Amino acid sequence: MSERTSHSQPMREPTLLLLAALADQPRHGYALLGEVTRISDGRVRLRAGTLYGALDRLLAQGLVRVEREEVVDGRARRVYALTEQGHADLDAEVRRMESVALEARRRMQRTGRALGATG
């Protein structure tokens, strides 16, 4: 079961970033840490414990799956991928965020204030 439905609370940022990091291709844990940092422009840096806890939760919710397990330099490594439900939930969250952003832009333009302007 997903942490949210189309009518519930917005997706938590770590969940959103992890699903976004898996949207284009499967990745292993260390690669996910780097992708989350890149996607967030360095604002979010997950620790390994946080990452694997989140991945366990996303696995249990059916949003990600283990694509394959590899052995690299004598160590086991799991490669994660989005499930169909993970793609659907990410798509729904992106649409929700776009809708909110569009409404905010519309309202700001109505008052003559440009987004990103200060003062």
Side-chain angles (χ1 to χ4, degrees):
M1 179 67 109
S2 169
E3 80 178 38
R4 59 177 287 286
T5 64
S6 60
H7 299 292
S8 68
Q9 295 296 316
M11 196 176 277
R12 291 180 292 188
E13 189 173 29
T15 299
L16 174 64
L17 292 169
L18 284 170
L19 296 183
L22 289 169
D24 60 343
Q25 68 182 45
R27 289 189 164 84
H28 57 81
Y30 184 76
L32 283 169
L33 292 174
E35 282 300 304
V36 165
T37 299
R38 277 189 284 287
I39 291 169
S40 69
D41 288 328
R43 194 175 44 75
V44 176
R45 294 177 184 272
L46 296 177
R47 293 178 180 225
T50 302
L51 169 70
Y52 290 106
L55 286 170
D56 286 345
R57 180 176 46 80
L58 295 173
L59 282 163
Q61 292 172 341
L63 300 181
V64 301
R65 63 183 169 78
V66 176
E67 169 95 350
R68 65 185 179 277
E69 295 192 41
E70 308 169 329
V71 176
V72 177
D73 296 328
R75 296 179 58 171
R77 175 163 71 181
R78 283 184 166 183
V79 176
Y80 298 90
L82 285 185
T83 62
E84 288 301 317
Q85 187 61 53
H87 280 285
D89 279 18
L90 179 59
D91 183 61
E93 183 65 5
V94 167
R95 289 175 188 271
R96 185 199 66 78
M97 292 172 72
E98 287 172 340
S99 175
V100 170
L102 249 143
E103 181 61 17
R105 182 176 309 277
R106 185 185 67 76
R107 288 172 182 237
M108 292 181 77
Q109 287 172 340
R110 188 171 55 198
T111 64
R113 294 181 183 247
L115 288 177
T118 58

